[in-house]
Amino acid sequence: MPQVKTRVLRELEPEQLRDRLFELRGELSKLKNTAARGMIQKNSGKIRRARKSIARVLTVMKQKAVIE
């Protein structure tokens, strides 16, 4: 999955942000699972990108006061 741009996230509605967060957390879970089974390298960068994308979504949600 490509990197999530903060500019694009700021244009989304709160419900869309929650959906995006749910989707990204699911993807991170799948990536960790496949890394644990040895199907992808742990240092491939995909897990790091997913974590950073989740952080971006949470930051935008906090700025919009969607979560407290």
Side-chain angles (χ1 to χ4, degrees):
M1 176 169 256
Q3 181 179 353
V4 178
K5 301 286 185 180
T6 309
R7 175 180 53 230
V8 175
L9 290 174
R10 287 193 176 112
E11 297 170 358
L12 296 177
E13 296 297 320
E15 190 60 37
Q16 292 173 320
L17 285 171
R18 286 187 193 100
D19 292 342
R20 185 76 174 151
L21 181 63
F22 181 75
E23 176 185 317
L24 287 168
R25 284 183 171 164
E27 179 185 344
L28 178 62
S29 176
K30 288 178 189 176
L31 285 171
K32 284 184 175 182
N33 190 9
T34 55
R37 287 187 281 147
M39 298 185 77
I40 63 169
Q41 293 182 357
K42 290 185 180 182
N43 59 357
S44 69
K46 293 179 182 179
I47 294 174
R48 183 173 187 229
R49 274 194 302 273
R51 283 193 352 248
K52 285 184 173 263
S53 294
I54 290 170
R56 282 188 189 95
V57 171
L58 288 172
T59 300
V60 171
M61 289 174 77
K62 186 71 171 179
Q63 289 172 348
K64 287 187 168 190
V66 175
I67 58 174
E68 306 239 347

